[in-house]
Amino acid sequence: MPRRLSRRTCSTLFVALACLLLPGSPGAFGASPDPRSAPTLRAVLAKIAKSYVDRSRIDPQRMLWSAAAALDREIPEVLLESNAGAAEVRIRVAGESRTFRADDVRSIARLSDTLSEILQFVGAHRAPSEDRSSAEYAAVNGILDSLDPHSLLFTPAEARMFDNQVDNTLTGVGMVMNFNVRPVTITAVMKGGPALAAGVAPCDRLLAVEGVSTEGRSFEDVIPTILGPVGTAVWLTFDRDGSGLRELILTRQKIVLSSVTSRLLDDGSGSVSGSDGGIGYILIQQFSRRTASDVEAAIADLKKAGARGWILDLRGNPGGLMKEAVGTASLFIESGPIVATVSEDERDSRDAKREHPIPAEGGPLAVLVSERTASASEVLAGALQNRNRAVVLGRTSFGKGTVQVLYGQKDGSKLKLSIAHYVTPGGFSLQSRGVVPDIELVPVPAPKPGRLRLSEIEPPREADLERAFRPRVPAVRPDFSMRYVASLPNGEEEIGIARDLLLELPASVGTRKVALEHARAFVDGRRAPADERIVRVLGEAGVDWSEGPAGDPAGAVADNLAEPGGKPAKPGVKPAKILVRCTQTKSVVLPAPPEAQLPEGAGQRVPIDCEVRNEGERDAFRLRGRAPARSFDLGGDEIVIGRMAAGERRRVSFEGLLDANPAARVSYVPFEFSEQGGAQVDIAPVRIEAPARTGAARTDRTTGLDIRVDAPAETGAIAAPLRVAIVDKGEPRDAWIRVSAREPRIDRKKVLYAARDAGSPDHRMDLAADVPLSPGLNEIEVCARDRDATGQRCDTVFVFRTASGF
């Protein structure tokens, strides 16, 4: 089974590089019938028992079952045949079963012994060619999964990747991508990299990697395919301004990254400096080794160029080395506390330390943050805000307030373990709360031909992660909020807003308190023009986005039932009554592009037609609809209707993208419509039929495995018949099936199949199974490996189990 990297590897290496690099040493723990077995497991359990941040989360039985489930999920030969919470753990490996006691696992020592026995049994019955350590790593990460979202074990290969990231080196092609827009868009191309040499430019769209579409795929799915060993090649498919596909084969090389870039900003009229000086802009992409010294050098250069105020851009900064974040804070704060770490046993405070004077000690300072500002970058922003040094602009940050330490293991793996909480000056915890900006900046994306949305795609935050620690302090609201039309790449409008605010401040202003006194007039003066521009650009796109008169009911009413969020109507005034009915247009999927131009894995575009009626006696204002991107991707766009007169009927047509899947299926997609004020409009889920997509054989280019799956698209039964044909240019070795019910988040492997006897004339393996279904959409994954286990591929089908309510 391919490893799912949503939480490990890439999300940790590139999205949440949040740890303190402190030395750690594994130690022996507990006794075992074979003390030499599972040394990494034993070392990790010892470190958890000694140093984990919250001892109440250490539950040996839960950790045992989580480890067993991870073995079942990630090791194809392993089948977990008992349910979590049972008295015994029953495991089958390659036809052999064994039962292990679970009810007596009440200590870390007993957990260590039991898991060591399980790993010995698994290792004894796996094929000799298998990497024996993979099962131990899977079990350890299963244990860590039961604790919190950030504790994990890097395999030796992943540890090397992490070290390269911290050292500002990667092996890739040298380009930065934005996964918040569709298609995935290139935002920067690094000097000296293969992408720049091949002519890749910012705003190019990445359509496919190795022939597999990026449509609907996440950062964690795509990035590992692009990265790889030096000297190897990767096949990328680009598009530029709709001018057609461009296929490039780039050779990976070592890329030296710079975590800091800077420039002197002009004043909006093209003039960079004047008698009052300019604003120095410093972008910190992450905190790696030498970041603080690079920021110091940038400050010195900008000061010579005439800077008298500063913008620190931490948007999208995932964190990194806390030492570098504290060092950066010390460039703007002369002395005093920056951050404290608090555990069950001790408190450790880090103060600003100045080796020599820095000009950035004075002058107005603004910090830009976003939903992807995390960990060490949140500590920096929070310290500058709470120490009354900087005004913070943007959107509430990610909210990661736990400290992780890296412990090296003898086998080259590294344990990243949560050992404490961050506390900013003033005693504020960032956990599941984040840094709340003083001035909230809300982007409204500029309309594009045929595409429109009113808000950016909200990425998940810390509080959305499973097993995240709860907030330690209540949430607060920003002091000010303003919208703006976002039409420039990389959020340049927000840089301009921060620059204009600082230019209005006297050069002597060096405190947040004084800056906020000027900020009220600044925001009030820009809010109305910004709102007027939003209405104007939407009007140019054909949408009347005018606001309802003051005192009008702000919310719509569906079926005469008042909805939360709407203001009460005036006495005797009936509100708008919005009715919406959406259907798939003729149950026909729009024709796909020619197969030669359709990357493997590209999703299916489905047309939807909605009839919208206002049956009330009042006009409706700012009416819009959305669809969850997970099931029906509008590319972040929305169904923007705007104002509807009383009695008006309107038909709205649009198209969305179903998950990349060649099989026929049926889906029920929920849509959400709301009016001014946020009141919801009732609408039944839309039934969408997707016929099978014809095209080239789905044969893996590297392994030659071809998987053909036949399953019903829709059924009312509790199990669905599954028929699979697997053909390999060599010979299939084994195959397995996993069923995932998306809504209940049930994840279970159904069965493992052994290869047929050698000598099959077509090297074909036929599988048949009745797979259990949960109500709603079930994802069924069929995987196979070739004989020498050097390659594997998977294919996915969807089966919808009908239930009452649809």
Side-chain angles (χ1 to χ4, degrees):
M1 176 67 64
R3 300 179 61 195
R4 296 187 180 272
L5 302 177
S6 58
R7 196 177 77 83
R8 292 209 305 277
T9 310
C10 294
S11 60
T12 303
L13 299 179
F14 304 102
V15 179
L17 292 170
C19 61
L20 297 173
L21 291 182
L22 301 178
S25 60
F29 184 83
S32 170
D34 184 357
R36 298 168 299 175
S37 66
T40 300
L41 167 71
R42 296 179 180 280
V44 168
L45 288 175
K47 190 57 66 178
I48 291 173
K50 179 180 179 181
S51 304
Y52 187 64
V53 60
D54 186 350
R55 309 289 167 76
S56 68
R57 291 196 172 202
I58 300 176
D59 182 335
Q61 285 199 2
R62 185 175 69 237
M63 296 160 78
L64 171 65
W65 285 106
S66 184
L71 288 169
D72 174 85
R73 182 172 60 249
E74 298 197 25
I75 308 301
E77 295 89 345
V78 176
L79 296 174
L80 178 60
E81 297 183 325
S82 51
N83 296 322
E88 296 177 328
V89 178
R90 183 175 180 83
I91 289 180
R92 178 181 294 273
V93 183
E96 297 291 332
S97 292
R98 185 173 169 185
T99 299
F100 303 86
R101 289 284 301 276
D103 54 357
D104 65 346
V105 178
R106 304 185 183 279
S107 67
I108 292 291
R110 184 64 185 133
L111 172 65
S112 178
D113 289 346
T114 300
L115 281 177
S116 295
E117 293 175 12
I118 290 174
L119 290 173
Q120 290 180 43
F121 170 70
V122 170
H125 293 85
R126 294 184 72 191
S129 60
E130 294 292 351
D131 177 11
R132 299 303 180 91
S133 60
S134 61
E136 185 176 2
Y137 296 147
V140 169
N141 273 309
I143 290 170
L144 297 170
D145 279 345
S146 71
L147 297 177
D148 67 79
H150 302 293
S151 294
L152 59 89
L153 181 74
F154 291 121
T155 67
E158 293 167 350
R160 290 191 292 272
M161 290 179 64
F162 182 87
D163 288 340
N164 288 337
Q165 180 75 359
V166 170
D167 286 333
N168 265 355
T169 59
L170 285 175
T171 302
V173 298
M175 59 188 188
V176 180
M177 291 155 283
N178 183 358
F179 281 78
N180 283 337
V181 298
R182 296 298 176 183
V184 175
T185 301
I186 308 303
T187 60
V189 184
M190 301 173 190
K191 294 181 180 180
L196 182 64
V200 179
C203 297
D204 285 357
R205 292 177 286 274
L206 179 64
L207 303 184
V209 179
E210 296 291 350
V212 179
S213 172
T214 60
E215 194 74 65
R217 298 174 66 198
S218 67
F219 177 93
E220 293 84 357
D221 292 333
V222 175
I223 291 299
T225 313
I226 297 177
L227 301 179
V230 172
T232 59
V234 59
W235 167 30
L236 304 175
T237 305
F238 295 93
D239 172 60
R240 179 176 298 174
D241 297 328
S243 58
L245 299 185
R246 184 183 181 204
E247 307 281 359
L248 294 177
I249 297 179
L250 304 181
T251 301
R252 300 179 179 98
Q253 68 182 47
K254 186 176 182 179
I255 306 294
V256 179
L257 309 175
S258 174
S259 64
V260 178
T261 56
S262 62
R263 68 181 190 268
L264 191 66
L265 301 177
D266 62 38
D267 60 5
S269 64
S271 175
V272 173
S273 62
S275 59
D276 293 333
I279 303 300
Y281 169 79
I282 302 173
L283 169 66
I284 306 176
Q285 295 176 328
Q286 69 181 50
F287 290 98
S288 52
R289 294 186 178 96
R290 302 176 298 278
T291 294
S293 61
D294 288 346
V295 173
E296 182 178 0
I299 290 173
D301 291 342
L302 291 169
K303 185 68 176 179
K304 291 178 182 178
R308 57 91 170 176
W310 314 96
I311 295 174
L312 281 185
D313 192 346
L314 303 179
R315 295 173 300 172
N317 185 319
L321 301 181
M322 186 59 62
K323 176 182 176 182
E324 299 295 327
V326 172
T328 301
S330 298
L331 302 176
F332 297 90
I333 300 174
E334 183 174 3
S335 61
I338 300 298
V339 64
T341 58
V342 180
S343 66
E344 291 188 350
D345 301 324
E346 60 183 9
R347 178 188 180 99
D348 176 35
S349 180
R350 296 193 175 201
D351 292 352
K353 295 180 180 180
R354 182 63 50 75
E355 295 181 359
H356 47 80
I358 294 295
E361 221 173 90
L365 172 64
V367 178
L368 290 172
V369 297
S370 71
E371 305 91 333
R372 294 184 182 275
T373 301
S375 195
S377 56
E378 292 181 280
V379 168
L380 173 59
L384 294 175
Q385 183 185 53
N386 293 334
R387 291 293 308 277
N388 201 32
R389 178 64 181 90
V391 176
V392 178
L393 300 91
R395 290 164 300 286
T396 301
S397 62
F398 184 76
K400 182 182 177 298
T402 53
V403 182
Q404 283 74 44
V405 174
L406 280 180
Y407 299 98
Q409 307 299 313
K410 291 182 178 179
D411 61 353
S413 62
K414 288 187 177 182
L415 168 65
K416 183 160 78 78
L417 186 66
S418 299
I419 55 93
H421 289 275
Y422 292 126
V423 179
T424 63
F428 292 100
S429 169
L430 299 170
Q431 178 59 34
S432 295
R433 174 184 180 269
V435 176
V436 179
D438 301 303
I439 302 175
E440 182 185 38
L441 303 178
V442 183
V444 177
K448 297 179 181 180
R451 308 305 296 265
L452 187 65
R453 70 178 188 264
L454 298 173
S455 59
E456 295 285 0
I457 301 174
E458 282 279 335
R461 287 185 169 90
E462 173 78 11
D464 300 317
L465 302 179
E466 293 184 17
R467 299 172 303 281
F469 292 97
R470 294 184 177 182
R472 299 164 70 106
V473 293
V476 297
R477 293 289 304 164
D479 293 326
F480 311 100
S481 181
M482 58 179 291
R483 295 178 179 270
Y484 68 92
V485 176
S487 58
L488 300 177
N490 301 327
E492 285 288 330
E493 291 93 349
E494 295 184 357
I495 299 173
I497 293 171
R499 173 205 61 200
D500 293 347
L501 171 64
L502 296 186
L503 287 174
E504 290 191 7
L505 300 177
S508 59
V509 170
T511 67
R512 168 176 171 263
K513 181 179 180 181
V514 176
L516 287 179
E517 292 174 356
H518 290 76
R520 181 176 299 278
F522 173 81
V523 172
D524 288 344
R526 296 183 67 116
R527 184 182 285 127
D531 290 343
E532 291 172 1
R533 188 182 177 210
I534 292 171
V535 173
R536 184 173 65 254
V537 298
L538 291 177
E540 293 170 354
V543 175
D544 181 353
W545 199 247
S546 57
E547 190 174 11
D552 261 14
V557 175
D559 297 330
N560 290 322
L561 297 177
E563 296 289 338
K567 297 179 181 178
K570 293 180 178 179
V573 177
K574 294 184 178 180
K577 181 181 179 182
I578 303 299
L579 300 177
V580 182
R581 180 178 180 83
C582 296
T583 57
Q584 182 180 356
T585 304
K586 299 180 181 179
S587 299
V588 176
V589 174
L590 293 178
E595 191 66 33
Q597 298 187 19
L598 185 65
E600 182 182 346
Q604 297 168 306
R605 295 201 171 276
V606 180
I608 301 294
D609 186 74
C610 295
E611 181 185 16
V612 185
R613 305 198 307 268
N614 182 2
E615 296 188 351
E617 299 178 9
R618 304 278 293 177
D619 289 0
F621 294 89
R622 298 192 171 183
L623 182 65
R624 64 177 177 176
R626 303 179 182 183
R630 187 175 67 176
S631 56
F632 191 71
D633 186 6
L634 292 176
D637 294 347
E638 297 173 343
I639 308 157
V640 182
I641 299 172
R643 181 174 182 174
M644 283 193 70
E648 182 182 355
R649 293 191 177 194
R650 192 181 302 180
R651 301 196 76 85
V652 180
S653 297
F654 55 92
E655 62 179 71
L657 194 72
L658 279 177
D659 310 77
N661 176 52
R665 61 212 162 107
V666 173
S667 296
Y668 287 84
V669 177
F671 284 83
E672 301 171 352
F673 278 77
S674 63
E675 204 213 352
Q676 178 179 317
Q680 299 297 306
V681 178
D682 286 339
I683 173 174
V686 180
R687 186 180 192 276
I688 294 178
E689 296 181 3
R693 195 189 83 198
T694 58
R698 301 185 301 280
T699 303
D700 188 276
R701 291 180 174 83
T702 58
T703 66
L705 284 164
D706 180 23
I707 302 176
R708 306 282 180 167
V709 184
D710 180 24
E714 182 180 19
T715 180
I718 61 174
L722 188 76
R723 303 294 180 264
V724 182
I726 301 173
V727 179
D728 186 8
K729 63 184 179 183
E731 183 180 0
R733 173 188 170 184
D734 52 26
W736 59 98
I737 299 169
R738 187 173 69 178
V739 184
S740 174
R742 290 185 163 193
E743 294 308 321
R745 296 190 177 181
I746 298 172
D747 219 3
R748 57 185 181 275
K749 189 158 47 183
K750 169 63 179 174
V751 66
L752 175 76
Y753 292 89
R756 305 185 79 183
D757 294 336
S760 173
D762 56 0
H763 303 294
R764 172 173 172 145
M765 185 195 310
D766 294 314
L767 313 182
D770 291 331
V771 295
L773 302 176
S774 295
L777 188 63
N778 291 260
E779 182 178 8
I780 303 173
E781 191 174 45
V782 180
C783 299
R785 291 185 298 186
D786 55 21
R787 169 58 68 178
D788 57 8
T790 58
Q792 66 183 33
R793 68 163 284 115
C794 299
D795 200 14
T796 304
V797 295
F798 296 86
V799 177
F800 192 91
R801 178 182 162 194
T802 56
S804 59
F806 292 109

